[in-house]
PDB file of all heavy atoms in Angstrom:
ATOM      1  N   SER A  21     -25.150 -19.459  20.069  1.00  0.00           N
ATOM      2  CA  SER A  21     -26.173 -20.097  19.219  1.00  0.00           C
ATOM      3  C   SER A  21     -27.320 -19.144  18.881  1.00  0.00           C
ATOM      4  O   SER A  21     -28.075 -19.393  17.942  1.00  0.00           O
ATOM      5  CB  SER A  21     -26.719 -21.352  19.908  1.00  0.00           C
ATOM      6  OG  SER A  21     -27.540 -21.021  21.014  1.00  0.00           O
ATOM      7  N   PHE A  22     -27.445 -18.034  19.625  1.00  0.00           N
ATOM      8  CA  PHE A  22     -28.499 -17.065  19.346  1.00  0.00           C
ATOM      9  C   PHE A  22     -28.087 -16.064  18.258  1.00  0.00           C
ATOM     10  O   PHE A  22     -28.914 -15.266  17.822  1.00  0.00           O
ATOM     11  CB  PHE A  22     -28.878 -16.319  20.626  1.00  0.00           C
ATOM     12  CG  PHE A  22     -29.827 -17.079  21.503  1.00  0.00           C
ATOM     13  CD1 PHE A  22     -29.394 -18.185  22.227  1.00  0.00           C
ATOM     14  CD2 PHE A  22     -31.161 -16.714  21.604  1.00  0.00           C
ATOM     15  CE1 PHE A  22     -30.260 -18.896  23.041  1.00  0.00           C
ATOM     16  CE2 PHE A  22     -32.045 -17.425  22.418  1.00  0.00           C
ATOM     17  CZ  PHE A  22     -31.593 -18.527  23.130  1.00  0.00           C
ATOM     18  N   SER A  23     -26.810 -16.110  17.848  1.00  0.00           N
ATOM     19  CA  SER A  23     -26.307 -15.265  16.748  1.00  0.00           C
ATOM     20  C   SER A  23     -26.648 -13.782  16.949  1.00  0.00           C
ATOM     21  O   SER A  23     -27.151 -13.109  16.042  1.00  0.00           O
ATOM     22  CB  SER A  23     -26.867 -15.753  15.404  1.00  0.00           C
ATOM     23  OG  SER A  23     -26.504 -17.093  15.162  1.00  0.00           O
ATOM     24  N   LEU A  24     -26.371 -13.277  18.125  1.00  0.00           N
ATOM     25  CA  LEU A  24     -26.670 -11.887  18.455  1.00  0.00           C
ATOM     26  C   LEU A  24     -25.463 -10.990  18.211  1.00  0.00           C
ATOM     27  O   LEU A  24     -24.319 -11.453  18.262  1.00  0.00           O
ATOM     28  CB  LEU A  24     -27.072 -11.772  19.936  1.00  0.00           C
ATOM     29  CG  LEU A  24     -28.258 -12.619  20.399  1.00  0.00           C
ATOM     30  CD1 LEU A  24     -28.431 -12.470  21.907  1.00  0.00           C
ATOM     31  CD2 LEU A  24     -29.524 -12.221  19.673  1.00  0.00           C
ATOM     32  N   PRO A  25     -25.676  -9.701  17.988  1.00  0.00           N
ATOM     33  CA  PRO A  25     -24.565  -8.751  18.007  1.00  0.00           C
ATOM     34  C   PRO A  25     -23.872  -8.819  19.365  1.00  0.00           C
ATOM     35  O   PRO A  25     -24.530  -9.084  20.391  1.00  0.00           O
ATOM     36  CB  PRO A  25     -25.241  -7.390  17.797  1.00  0.00           C
ATOM     37  CG  PRO A  25     -26.551  -7.719  17.162  1.00  0.00           C
ATOM     38  CD  PRO A  25     -26.972  -9.049  17.707  1.00  0.00           C
ATOM     39  N   VAL A  26     -22.574  -8.596  19.390  1.00  0.00           N
ATOM     40  CA  VAL A  26     -21.823  -8.777  20.629  1.00  0.00           C
ATOM     41  C   VAL A  26     -22.346  -7.865  21.736  1.00  0.00           C
ATOM     42  O   VAL A  26     -22.375  -8.259  22.908  1.00  0.00           O
ATOM     43  CB  VAL A  26     -20.308  -8.563  20.396  1.00  0.00           C
ATOM     44  CG1 VAL A  26     -19.996  -7.117  20.012  1.00  0.00           C
ATOM     45  CG2 VAL A  26     -19.511  -8.978  21.629  1.00  0.00           C
ATOM     46  N   GLN A  27     -22.786  -6.657  21.387  1.00  0.00           N
ATOM     47  CA  GLN A  27     -23.316  -5.746  22.407  1.00  0.00           C
ATOM     48  C   GLN A  27     -24.554  -6.338  23.083  1.00  0.00           C
ATOM     49  O   GLN A  27     -24.709  -6.254  24.306  1.00  0.00           O
ATOM     50  CB  GLN A  27     -23.662  -4.386  21.782  1.00  0.00           C
ATOM     51  CG  GLN A  27     -22.466  -3.607  21.275  1.00  0.00           C
ATOM     52  CD  GLN A  27     -22.161  -3.889  19.822  1.00  0.00           C
ATOM     53  OE1 GLN A  27     -22.557  -4.941  19.284  1.00  0.00           O
ATOM     54  NE2 GLN A  27     -21.458  -2.979  19.166  1.00  0.00           N
ATOM     55  N   GLU A  28     -25.426  -6.947  22.284  1.00  0.00           N
ATOM     56  CA  GLU A  28     -26.644  -7.534  22.832  1.00  0.00           C
ATOM     57  C   GLU A  28     -26.349  -8.764  23.678  1.00  0.00           C
ATOM     58  O   GLU A  28     -26.942  -8.969  24.747  1.00  0.00           O
ATOM     59  CB  GLU A  28     -27.593  -7.887  21.687  1.00  0.00           C
ATOM     60  CG  GLU A  28     -28.991  -8.300  22.127  1.00  0.00           C
ATOM     61  CD  GLU A  28     -29.959  -8.409  20.958  1.00  0.00           C
ATOM     62  OE1 GLU A  28     -29.695  -7.802  19.890  1.00  0.00           O
ATOM     63  OE2 GLU A  28     -30.983  -9.098  21.105  1.00  0.00           O
ATOM     64  N   ALA A  29     -25.404  -9.582  23.213  1.00  0.00           N
ATOM     65  CA  ALA A  29     -25.029 -10.776  23.975  1.00  0.00           C
ATOM     66  C   ALA A  29     -24.409 -10.386  25.320  1.00  0.00           C
ATOM     67  O   ALA A  29     -24.741 -10.974  26.365  1.00  0.00           O
ATOM     68  CB  ALA A  29     -24.053 -11.623  23.164  1.00  0.00           C
ATOM     69  N   LEU A  30     -23.513  -9.400  25.313  1.00  0.00           N
ATOM     70  CA  LEU A  30     -22.864  -8.953  26.548  1.00  0.00           C
ATOM     71  C   LEU A  30     -23.883  -8.327  27.505  1.00  0.00           C
ATOM     72  O   LEU A  30     -23.859  -8.598  28.712  1.00  0.00           O
ATOM     73  CB  LEU A  30     -21.759  -7.948  26.230  1.00  0.00           C
ATOM     74  CG  LEU A  30     -20.513  -8.507  25.540  1.00  0.00           C
ATOM     75  CD1 LEU A  30     -19.646  -7.378  25.005  1.00  0.00           C
ATOM     76  CD2 LEU A  30     -19.706  -9.389  26.496  1.00  0.00           C
ATOM     77  N   HIS A  31     -24.735  -7.475  26.988  1.00  0.00           N
ATOM     78  CA  HIS A  31     -25.774  -6.838  27.800  1.00  0.00           C
ATOM     79  C   HIS A  31     -26.640  -7.893  28.484  1.00  0.00           C
ATOM     80  O   HIS A  31     -26.854  -7.854  29.706  1.00  0.00           O
ATOM     81  CB  HIS A  31     -26.628  -5.934  26.904  1.00  0.00           C
ATOM     82  CG  HIS A  31     -27.676  -5.153  27.640  1.00  0.00           C
ATOM     83  ND1 HIS A  31     -27.621  -3.779  27.754  1.00  0.00           N
ATOM     84  CD2 HIS A  31     -28.818  -5.542  28.296  1.00  0.00           C
ATOM     85  CE1 HIS A  31     -28.671  -3.366  28.443  1.00  0.00           C
ATOM     86  NE2 HIS A  31     -29.425  -4.419  28.771  1.00  0.00           N
ATOM     87  N   THR A  32     -27.104  -8.847  27.718  1.00  0.00           N
ATOM     88  CA  THR A  32     -27.992  -9.884  28.255  1.00  0.00           C
ATOM     89  C   THR A  32     -27.281 -10.729  29.297  1.00  0.00           C
ATOM     90  O   THR A  32     -27.859 -11.054  30.350  1.00  0.00           O
ATOM     91  CB  THR A  32     -28.511 -10.777  27.115  1.00  0.00           C
ATOM     92  OG1 THR A  32     -29.141  -9.964  26.123  1.00  0.00           O
ATOM     93  CG2 THR A  32     -29.491 -11.819  27.633  1.00  0.00           C
ATOM     94  N   TYR A  33     -26.022 -11.075  29.028  1.00  0.00           N
ATOM     95  CA  TYR A  33     -25.322 -11.944  29.973  1.00  0.00           C
ATOM     96  C   TYR A  33     -25.010 -11.211  31.277  1.00  0.00           C
ATOM     97  O   TYR A  33     -25.053 -11.810  32.354  1.00  0.00           O
ATOM     98  CB  TYR A  33     -24.046 -12.527  29.371  1.00  0.00           C
ATOM     99  CG  TYR A  33     -23.640 -13.775  30.117  1.00  0.00           C
ATOM    100  CD1 TYR A  33     -24.296 -14.981  29.889  1.00  0.00           C
ATOM    101  CD2 TYR A  33     -22.673 -13.727  31.110  1.00  0.00           C
ATOM    102  CE1 TYR A  33     -23.980 -16.106  30.628  1.00  0.00           C
ATOM    103  CE2 TYR A  33     -22.347 -14.847  31.844  1.00  0.00           C
ATOM    104  CZ  TYR A  33     -23.005 -16.040  31.603  1.00  0.00           C
ATOM    105  OH  TYR A  33     -22.703 -17.163  32.344  1.00  0.00           O
ATOM    106  N   CYS A  34     -24.735  -9.908  31.230  1.00  0.00           N
ATOM    107  CA  CYS A  34     -24.540  -9.133  32.448  1.00  0.00           C
ATOM    108  C   CYS A  34     -25.820  -9.097  33.281  1.00  0.00           C
ATOM    109  O   CYS A  34     -25.785  -9.237  34.514  1.00  0.00           O
ATOM    110  CB  CYS A  34     -24.095  -7.706  32.106  1.00  0.00           C
ATOM    111  SG  CYS A  34     -22.374  -7.560  31.578  1.00  0.00           S
ATOM    112  N   VAL A  35     -26.960  -8.903  32.619  1.00  0.00           N
ATOM    113  CA  VAL A  35     -28.245  -8.940  33.320  1.00  0.00           C
ATOM    114  C   VAL A  35     -28.437 -10.311  33.971  1.00  0.00           C
ATOM    115  O   VAL A  35     -28.884 -10.423  35.125  1.00  0.00           O
ATOM    116  CB  VAL A  35     -29.402  -8.620  32.357  1.00  0.00           C
ATOM    117  CG1 VAL A  35     -30.753  -8.833  33.043  1.00  0.00           C
ATOM    118  CG2 VAL A  35     -29.292  -7.184  31.839  1.00  0.00           C
ATOM    119  N   HIS A  36     -28.076 -11.350  33.252  1.00  0.00           N
ATOM    120  CA  HIS A  36     -28.193 -12.719  33.770  1.00  0.00           C
ATOM    121  C   HIS A  36     -27.351 -12.911  35.032  1.00  0.00           C
ATOM    122  O   HIS A  36     -27.845 -13.458  36.041  1.00  0.00           O
ATOM    123  CB  HIS A  36     -27.745 -13.697  32.680  1.00  0.00           C
ATOM    124  CG  HIS A  36     -27.557 -15.099  33.153  1.00  0.00           C
ATOM    125  ND1 HIS A  36     -28.592 -15.896  33.568  1.00  0.00           N
ATOM    126  CD2 HIS A  36     -26.428 -15.847  33.281  1.00  0.00           C
ATOM    127  CE1 HIS A  36     -28.123 -17.080  33.934  1.00  0.00           C
ATOM    128  NE2 HIS A  36     -26.814 -17.071  33.772  1.00  0.00           N
ATOM    129  N   ILE A  37     -26.111 -12.470  35.005  1.00  0.00           N
ATOM    130  CA  ILE A  37     -25.241 -12.609  36.181  1.00  0.00           C
ATOM    131  C   ILE A  37     -25.861 -11.911  37.382  1.00  0.00           C
ATOM    132  O   ILE A  37     -25.959 -12.485  38.485  1.00  0.00           O
ATOM    133  CB  ILE A  37     -23.838 -12.033  35.894  1.00  0.00           C
ATOM    134  CG1 ILE A  37     -23.113 -12.855  34.829  1.00  0.00           C
ATOM    135  CG2 ILE A  37     -23.005 -11.989  37.180  1.00  0.00           C
ATOM    136  CD1 ILE A  37     -21.828 -12.212  34.328  1.00  0.00           C
ATOM    137  N   ALA A  38     -26.277 -10.664  37.189  1.00  0.00           N
ATOM    138  CA  ALA A  38     -26.835  -9.880  38.298  1.00  0.00           C
ATOM    139  C   ALA A  38     -28.072 -10.546  38.879  1.00  0.00           C
ATOM    140  O   ALA A  38     -28.240 -10.626  40.112  1.00  0.00           O
ATOM    141  CB  ALA A  38     -27.158  -8.470  37.815  1.00  0.00           C
ATOM    142  N   ARG A  39     -28.940 -11.031  38.027  1.00  0.00           N
ATOM    143  CA  ARG A  39     -30.181 -11.646  38.523  1.00  0.00           C
ATOM    144  C   ARG A  39     -29.913 -12.970  39.228  1.00  0.00           C
ATOM    145  O   ARG A  39     -30.608 -13.316  40.197  1.00  0.00           O
ATOM    146  CB  ARG A  39     -31.168 -11.815  37.370  1.00  0.00           C
ATOM    147  CG  ARG A  39     -31.653 -10.469  36.831  1.00  0.00           C
ATOM    148  CD  ARG A  39     -32.818 -10.601  35.881  1.00  0.00           C
ATOM    149  NE  ARG A  39     -33.213  -9.305  35.358  1.00  0.00           N
ATOM    150  CZ  ARG A  39     -34.206  -9.110  34.494  1.00  0.00           C
ATOM    151  NH1 ARG A  39     -34.928 -10.140  34.064  1.00  0.00           N
ATOM    152  NH2 ARG A  39     -34.491  -7.898  34.057  1.00  0.00           N
ATOM    153  N   GLN A  40     -28.919 -13.714  38.755  1.00  0.00           N
ATOM    154  CA  GLN A  40     -28.605 -14.967  39.428  1.00  0.00           C
ATOM    155  C   GLN A  40     -27.979 -14.738  40.796  1.00  0.00           C
ATOM    156  O   GLN A  40     -28.216 -15.509  41.730  1.00  0.00           O
ATOM    157  CB  GLN A  40     -27.679 -15.821  38.550  1.00  0.00           C
ATOM    158  CG  GLN A  40     -28.392 -16.470  37.375  1.00  0.00           C
ATOM    159  CD  GLN A  40     -29.576 -17.309  37.795  1.00  0.00           C
ATOM    160  OE1 GLN A  40     -29.531 -18.024  38.793  1.00  0.00           O
ATOM    161  NE2 GLN A  40     -30.662 -17.224  37.025  1.00  0.00           N
ATOM    162  N   VAL A  41     -27.198 -13.668  40.936  1.00  0.00           N
ATOM    163  CA  VAL A  41     -26.654 -13.329  42.253  1.00  0.00           C
ATOM    164  C   VAL A  41     -27.793 -12.979  43.204  1.00  0.00           C
ATOM    165  O   VAL A  41     -27.851 -13.469  44.344  1.00  0.00           O
ATOM    166  CB  VAL A  41     -25.654 -12.162  42.147  1.00  0.00           C
ATOM    167  CG1 VAL A  41     -25.261 -11.661  43.540  1.00  0.00           C
ATOM    168  CG2 VAL A  41     -24.406 -12.591  41.378  1.00  0.00           C
ATOM    169  N   ALA A  42     -28.726 -12.144  42.754  1.00  0.00           N
ATOM    170  CA  ALA A  42     -29.864 -11.776  43.596  1.00  0.00           C
ATOM    171  C   ALA A  42     -30.716 -12.992  43.946  1.00  0.00           C
ATOM    172  O   ALA A  42     -31.158 -13.155  45.096  1.00  0.00           O
ATOM    173  CB  ALA A  42     -30.715 -10.723  42.881  1.00  0.00           C
ATOM    174  N   LYS A  43     -30.937 -13.866  42.980  1.00  0.00           N
ATOM    175  CA  LYS A  43     -31.713 -15.088  43.223  1.00  0.00           C
ATOM    176  C   LYS A  43     -31.021 -15.983  44.245  1.00  0.00           C
ATOM    177  O   LYS A  43     -31.668 -16.561  45.126  1.00  0.00           O
ATOM    178  CB  LYS A  43     -31.910 -15.847  41.913  1.00  0.00           C
ATOM    179  CG  LYS A  43     -32.657 -17.177  42.064  1.00  0.00           C
ATOM    180  CD  LYS A  43     -32.788 -17.884  40.734  1.00  0.00           C
ATOM    181  CE  LYS A  43     -33.541 -19.216  40.875  1.00  0.00           C
ATOM    182  NZ  LYS A  43     -32.823 -20.188  41.724  1.00  0.00           N
ATOM    183  N   ALA A  44     -29.694 -16.087  44.130  1.00  0.00           N
ATOM    184  CA  ALA A  44     -28.939 -16.929  45.060  1.00  0.00           C
ATOM    185  C   ALA A  44     -29.085 -16.422  46.487  1.00  0.00           C
ATOM    186  O   ALA A  44     -29.225 -17.204  47.434  1.00  0.00           O
ATOM    187  CB  ALA A  44     -27.469 -16.961  44.651  1.00  0.00           C
ATOM    188  N   ILE A  45     -29.065 -15.099  46.660  1.00  0.00           N
ATOM    189  CA  ILE A  45     -29.234 -14.525  47.998  1.00  0.00           C
ATOM    190  C   ILE A  45     -30.651 -14.759  48.500  1.00  0.00           C
ATOM    191  O   ILE A  45     -30.865 -15.146  49.663  1.00  0.00           O
ATOM    192  CB  ILE A  45     -28.897 -13.026  47.972  1.00  0.00           C
ATOM    193  CG1 ILE A  45     -27.403 -12.831  47.672  1.00  0.00           C
ATOM    194  CG2 ILE A  45     -29.260 -12.361  49.297  1.00  0.00           C
ATOM    195  CD1 ILE A  45     -27.016 -11.404  47.405  1.00  0.00           C
ATOM    196  N   MET A  46     -31.632 -14.565  47.647  1.00  0.00           N
ATOM    197  CA  MET A  46     -33.026 -14.799  48.040  1.00  0.00           C
ATOM    198  C   MET A  46     -33.255 -16.256  48.426  1.00  0.00           C
ATOM    199  O   MET A  46     -33.908 -16.554  49.426  1.00  0.00           O
ATOM    200  CB  MET A  46     -33.955 -14.416  46.885  1.00  0.00           C
ATOM    201  CG  MET A  46     -34.237 -12.940  46.774  1.00  0.00           C
ATOM    202  SD  MET A  46     -35.263 -12.333  48.136  1.00  0.00           S
ATOM    203  CE  MET A  46     -36.811 -13.180  47.789  1.00  0.00           C
ATOM    204  N   ASP A  47     -32.704 -17.171  47.639  1.00  0.00           N
ATOM    205  CA  ASP A  47     -32.898 -18.593  47.898  1.00  0.00           C
ATOM    206  C   ASP A  47     -32.310 -19.013  49.236  1.00  0.00           C
ATOM    207  O   ASP A  47     -32.841 -19.899  49.912  1.00  0.00           O
ATOM    208  CB  ASP A  47     -32.273 -19.430  46.782  1.00  0.00           C
ATOM    209  CG  ASP A  47     -33.060 -19.362  45.486  1.00  0.00           C
ATOM    210  OD1 ASP A  47     -34.197 -18.862  45.514  1.00  0.00           O
ATOM    211  OD2 ASP A  47     -32.528 -19.806  44.439  1.00  0.00           O
ATOM    212  N   ARG A  48     -31.203 -18.383  49.620  1.00  0.00           N
ATOM    213  CA  ARG A  48     -30.519 -18.790  50.845  1.00  0.00           C
ATOM    214  C   ARG A  48     -31.004 -18.033  52.080  1.00  0.00           C
ATOM    215  O   ARG A  48     -31.203 -18.589  53.135  1.00  0.00           O
ATOM    216  CB  ARG A  48     -28.994 -18.581  50.714  1.00  0.00           C
ATOM    217  CG  ARG A  48     -28.352 -19.308  49.557  1.00  0.00           C
ATOM    218  CD  ARG A  48     -28.769 -20.760  49.478  1.00  0.00           C
ATOM    219  NE  ARG A  48     -28.518 -21.493  50.703  1.00  0.00           N
ATOM    220  CZ  ARG A  48     -29.033 -22.673  50.990  1.00  0.00           C
ATOM    221  NH1 ARG A  48     -29.832 -23.258  50.128  1.00  0.00           N
ATOM    222  NH2 ARG A  48     -28.749 -23.283  52.115  1.00  0.00           N
ATOM    223  N   ASN A  49     -31.168 -16.700  51.932  1.00  0.00           N
ATOM    224  CA  ASN A  49     -31.395 -15.867  53.106  1.00  0.00           C
ATOM    225  C   ASN A  49     -32.732 -15.138  53.113  1.00  0.00           C
ATOM    226  O   ASN A  49     -33.097 -14.572  54.123  1.00  0.00           O
ATOM    227  CB  ASN A  49     -30.271 -14.817  53.234  1.00  0.00           C
ATOM    228  CG  ASN A  49     -28.952 -15.431  53.631  1.00  0.00           C
ATOM    229  OD1 ASN A  49     -28.786 -16.632  53.520  1.00  0.00           O
ATOM    230  ND2 ASN A  49     -28.025 -14.630  54.096  1.00  0.00           N
ATOM    231  N   GLY A  50     -33.409 -15.095  51.962  1.00  0.00           N
ATOM    232  CA  GLY A  50     -34.607 -14.272  51.890  1.00  0.00           C
ATOM    233  C   GLY A  50     -34.251 -12.798  51.914  1.00  0.00           C
ATOM    234  O   GLY A  50     -33.112 -12.416  51.694  1.00  0.00           O
ATOM    235  N   VAL A  51     -35.225 -11.932  52.194  1.00  0.00           N
ATOM    236  CA  VAL A  51     -34.964 -10.498  52.276  1.00  0.00           C
ATOM    237  C   VAL A  51     -34.217 -10.222  53.576  1.00  0.00           C
ATOM    238  O   VAL A  51     -34.665 -10.583  54.659  1.00  0.00           O
ATOM    239  CB  VAL A  51     -36.276  -9.698  52.227  1.00  0.00           C
ATOM    240  CG1 VAL A  51     -36.000  -8.214  52.369  1.00  0.00           C
ATOM    241  CG2 VAL A  51     -36.994  -9.977  50.911  1.00  0.00           C
ATOM    242  N   ALA A  52     -33.065  -9.557  53.468  1.00  0.00           N
ATOM    243  CA  ALA A  52     -32.179  -9.375  54.610  1.00  0.00           C
ATOM    244  C   ALA A  52     -32.307  -7.969  55.178  1.00  0.00           C
ATOM    245  O   ALA A  52     -32.802  -7.050  54.539  1.00  0.00           O
ATOM    246  CB  ALA A  52     -30.739  -9.643  54.190  1.00  0.00           C
ATOM    247  N   ALA A  53     -31.859  -7.806  56.429  1.00  0.00           N
ATOM    248  CA  ALA A  53     -31.655  -6.481  56.993  1.00  0.00           C
ATOM    249  C   ALA A  53     -30.518  -5.818  56.225  1.00  0.00           C
ATOM    250  O   ALA A  53     -29.823  -6.490  55.450  1.00  0.00           O
ATOM    251  CB  ALA A  53     -31.317  -6.612  58.471  1.00  0.00           C
ATOM    252  N   PRO A  54     -30.319  -4.513  56.389  1.00  0.00           N
ATOM    253  CA  PRO A  54     -29.235  -3.857  55.641  1.00  0.00           C
ATOM    254  C   PRO A  54     -27.903  -4.582  55.815  1.00  0.00           C
ATOM    255  O   PRO A  54     -27.466  -4.860  56.927  1.00  0.00           O
ATOM    256  CB  PRO A  54     -29.200  -2.454  56.257  1.00  0.00           C
ATOM    257  CG  PRO A  54     -30.591  -2.222  56.725  1.00  0.00           C
ATOM    258  CD  PRO A  54     -31.080  -3.563  57.206  1.00  0.00           C
ATOM    259  N   ARG A  55     -27.293  -4.899  54.728  1.00  0.00           N
ATOM    260  CA  ARG A  55     -26.033  -5.629  54.708  1.00  0.00           C
ATOM    261  C   ARG A  55     -25.117  -5.037  53.648  1.00  0.00           C
ATOM    262  O   ARG A  55     -25.584  -4.385  52.707  1.00  0.00           O
ATOM    263  CB  ARG A  55     -26.267  -7.116  54.394  1.00  0.00           C
ATOM    264  CG  ARG A  55     -27.075  -7.887  55.420  1.00  0.00           C
ATOM    265  CD  ARG A  55     -26.254  -8.170  56.670  1.00  0.00           C
ATOM    266  NE  ARG A  55     -26.939  -9.092  57.568  1.00  0.00           N
ATOM    267  CZ  ARG A  55     -27.692  -8.726  58.594  1.00  0.00           C
ATOM    268  NH1 ARG A  55     -27.891  -7.434  58.814  1.00  0.00           N
ATOM    269  NH2 ARG A  55     -28.243  -9.617  59.376  1.00  0.00           N
ATOM    270  N   LYS A  56     -23.824  -5.304  53.783  1.00  0.00           N
ATOM    271  CA  LYS A  56     -22.862  -4.845  52.801  1.00  0.00           C
ATOM    272  C   LYS A  56     -22.301  -6.037  52.027  1.00  0.00           C
ATOM    273  O   LYS A  56     -22.015  -7.087  52.611  1.00  0.00           O
ATOM    274  CB  LYS A  56     -21.710  -4.095  53.475  1.00  0.00           C
ATOM    275  CG  LYS A  56     -22.105  -2.751  54.070  1.00  0.00           C
ATOM    276  CD  LYS A  56     -20.893  -2.032  54.636  1.00  0.00           C
ATOM    277  CE  LYS A  56     -21.276  -0.651  55.173  1.00  0.00           C
ATOM    278  NZ  LYS A  56     -20.095   0.067  55.697  1.00  0.00           N
ATOM    279  N   MET A  57     -22.150  -5.850  50.731  1.00  0.00           N
ATOM    280  CA  MET A  57     -21.559  -6.876  49.877  1.00  0.00           C
ATOM    281  C   MET A  57     -20.256  -6.338  49.283  1.00  0.00           C
ATOM    282  O   MET A  57     -20.260  -5.321  48.588  1.00  0.00           O
ATOM    283  CB  MET A  57     -22.515  -7.262  48.743  1.00  0.00           C
ATOM    284  CG  MET A  57     -21.907  -8.247  47.730  1.00  0.00           C
ATOM    285  SD  MET A  57     -22.948  -8.456  46.259  1.00  0.00           S
ATOM    286  CE  MET A  57     -24.275  -9.432  46.952  1.00  0.00           C
ATOM    287  N   LEU A  58     -19.152  -7.019  49.553  1.00  0.00           N
ATOM    288  CA  LEU A  58     -17.858  -6.655  48.994  1.00  0.00           C
ATOM    289  C   LEU A  58     -17.710  -7.341  47.641  1.00  0.00           C
ATOM    290  O   LEU A  58     -17.776  -8.571  47.552  1.00  0.00           O
ATOM    291  CB  LEU A  58     -16.734  -7.097  49.933  1.00  0.00           C
ATOM    292  CG  LEU A  58     -15.323  -6.660  49.530  1.00  0.00           C
ATOM    293  CD1 LEU A  58     -15.147  -5.155  49.703  1.00  0.00           C
ATOM    294  CD2 LEU A  58     -14.260  -7.414  50.338  1.00  0.00           C
ATOM    295  N   VAL A  59     -17.522  -6.564  46.598  1.00  0.00           N
ATOM    296  CA  VAL A  59     -17.419  -7.098  45.242  1.00  0.00           C
ATOM    297  C   VAL A  59     -15.994  -6.918  44.737  1.00  0.00           C
ATOM    298  O   VAL A  59     -15.468  -5.800  44.729  1.00  0.00           O
ATOM    299  CB  VAL A  59     -18.403  -6.407  44.285  1.00  0.00           C
ATOM    300  CG1 VAL A  59     -18.286  -6.998  42.878  1.00  0.00           C
ATOM    301  CG2 VAL A  59     -19.833  -6.558  44.801  1.00  0.00           C
ATOM    302  N   THR A  60     -15.387  -8.014  44.321  1.00  0.00           N
ATOM    303  CA  THR A  60     -14.017  -7.990  43.830  1.00  0.00           C
ATOM    304  C   THR A  60     -13.925  -8.787  42.537  1.00  0.00           C
ATOM    305  O   THR A  60     -14.916  -9.319  42.044  1.00  0.00           O
ATOM    306  CB  THR A  60     -13.044  -8.569  44.879  1.00  0.00           C
ATOM    307  OG1 THR A  60     -13.476  -9.900  45.238  1.00  0.00           O
ATOM    308  CG2 THR A  60     -13.004  -7.705  46.130  1.00  0.00           C
ATOM    309  N   GLY A  61     -12.715  -8.899  41.990  1.00  0.00           N
ATOM    310  CA  GLY A  61     -12.514  -9.590  40.723  1.00  0.00           C
ATOM    311  C   GLY A  61     -12.664  -8.615  39.559  1.00  0.00           C
ATOM    312  O   GLY A  61     -13.182  -7.501  39.697  1.00  0.00           O
ATOM    313  N   GLY A  62     -12.214  -9.043  38.386  1.00  0.00           N
ATOM    314  CA  GLY A  62     -12.209  -8.173  37.220  1.00  0.00           C
ATOM    315  C   GLY A  62     -13.559  -7.600  36.863  1.00  0.00           C
ATOM    316  O   GLY A  62     -13.657  -6.473  36.340  1.00  0.00           O
ATOM    317  N   GLY A  63     -14.636  -8.336  37.147  1.00  0.00           N
ATOM    318  CA  GLY A  63     -15.968  -7.860  36.827  1.00  0.00           C
ATOM    319  C   GLY A  63     -16.380  -6.628  37.607  1.00  0.00           C
ATOM    320  O   GLY A  63     -17.324  -5.929  37.225  1.00  0.00           O
ATOM    321  N   ALA A  64     -15.668  -6.324  38.716  1.00  0.00           N
ATOM    322  CA  ALA A  64     -15.987  -5.134  39.505  1.00  0.00           C
ATOM    323  C   ALA A  64     -15.696  -3.848  38.737  1.00  0.00           C
ATOM    324  O   ALA A  64     -16.197  -2.777  39.095  1.00  0.00           O
ATOM    325  CB  ALA A  64     -15.208  -5.146  40.818  1.00  0.00           C
ATOM    326  N   PHE A  65     -14.874  -3.944  37.679  1.00  0.00           N
ATOM    327  CA  PHE A  65     -14.565  -2.776  36.849  1.00  0.00           C
ATOM    328  C   PHE A  65     -15.532  -2.621  35.680  1.00  0.00           C
ATOM    329  O   PHE A  65     -15.421  -1.669  34.908  1.00  0.00           O
ATOM    330  CB  PHE A  65     -13.137  -2.878  36.315  1.00  0.00           C
ATOM    331  CG  PHE A  65     -12.079  -2.857  37.392  1.00  0.00           C
ATOM    332  CD1 PHE A  65     -11.252  -3.956  37.585  1.00  0.00           C
ATOM    333  CD2 PHE A  65     -11.927  -1.757  38.218  1.00  0.00           C
ATOM    334  CE1 PHE A  65     -10.277  -3.945  38.577  1.00  0.00           C
ATOM    335  CE2 PHE A  65     -10.967  -1.740  39.211  1.00  0.00           C
ATOM    336  CZ  PHE A  65     -10.134  -2.831  39.399  1.00  0.00           C
ATOM    337  N   ASN A  66     -16.448  -3.576  35.539  1.00  0.00           N
ATOM    338  CA  ASN A  66     -17.456  -3.503  34.480  1.00  0.00           C
ATOM    339  C   ASN A  66     -18.632  -2.693  35.012  1.00  0.00           C
ATOM    340  O   ASN A  66     -19.479  -3.196  35.745  1.00  0.00           O
ATOM    341  CB  ASN A  66     -17.896  -4.924  34.096  1.00  0.00           C
ATOM    342  CG  ASN A  66     -18.856  -4.961  32.926  1.00  0.00           C
ATOM    343  OD1 ASN A  66     -19.727  -4.112  32.799  1.00  0.00           O
ATOM    344  ND2 ASN A  66     -18.715  -5.965  32.072  1.00  0.00           N
TER     345      ASN A  66
END
């Protein structure tokens, strides 16, 4: 509905995904001690 060029839409949505993952961790655990996150699925190649 924002009628954006595909590059801009993809860029923005990737930023959105990353920020929502970080927000989800903050909401649940707060700032953590050093931890490792295993990332899988097709998006890991992006």
Side-chain angles (χ1 to χ4, degrees):
S21 72
F22 279 73
S23 301
L24 303 175
V26 66
Q27 294 91 338
E28 189 170 339
L30 290 167
H31 184 113
T32 305
Y33 201 78
C34 285
V35 173
H36 169 68
I37 294 170
R39 293 191 182 180
Q40 285 304 320
V41 171
K43 177 181 180 296
I45 294 171
M46 279 291 293
D47 288 348
R48 303 312 305 165
N49 289 16
V51 178
R55 296 286 189 265
K56 291 184 177 181
M57 175 190 287
L58 185 70
V59 181
T60 56
F65 297 117
N66 185 322

